[in-house]
Amino acid sequence: MTERLRSVVEQLDLGPDDRVLEIGCGHGVAATIVCERLDGGRLTAIDRSAKMIAAAARRNAAYVEAGKAEFLVADLEHL
């Protein structure tokens, strides 16, 4: 699964200063791959499941602490 997500992220052709919105981040695997490519950029990831957001935030704690990523519980319809 990780290699599939890595392939998808590579196709996005992200620049180091890009701002990225991930909708439905799940466990945060793709978020990790995105954050690895960001320098001055930032990722905002949302998911409607508080459990998934907690898992994603734990997985990406270093990126959250560095201000490179944020994980929010939200329904797309209400965001």
Side-chain angles (χ1 to χ4, degrees):
M1 169 96 107
T2 302
E3 287 308 311
R4 181 181 65 81
L5 289 174
R6 189 170 301 283
S7 176
V8 169
V9 171
E10 286 174 3
Q11 291 178 38
L12 296 174
D13 194 30
L14 296 173
D17 296 321
D18 285 350
R19 294 183 51 102
V20 179
L21 172 63
E22 182 180 7
I23 301 168
C25 66
H27 288 97
V29 177
T32 302
I33 299 167
V34 167
C35 287
E36 291 170 349
R37 288 163 169 70
L38 299 177
D39 186 21
R42 183 168 171 82
L43 167 79
T44 299
I46 65 168
D47 200 291
R48 64 183 177 181
S49 167
K51 183 178 179 181
M52 291 294 99
I53 287 295
R58 273 192 310 275
R59 177 186 181 90
N60 293 284
Y63 297 122
V64 172
E65 290 174 22
K68 190 180 283 192
E70 67 178 336
F71 296 87
L72 307 172
V73 177
D75 285 322
L76 183 59
E77 303 85 28
H78 299 108
L79 189 66

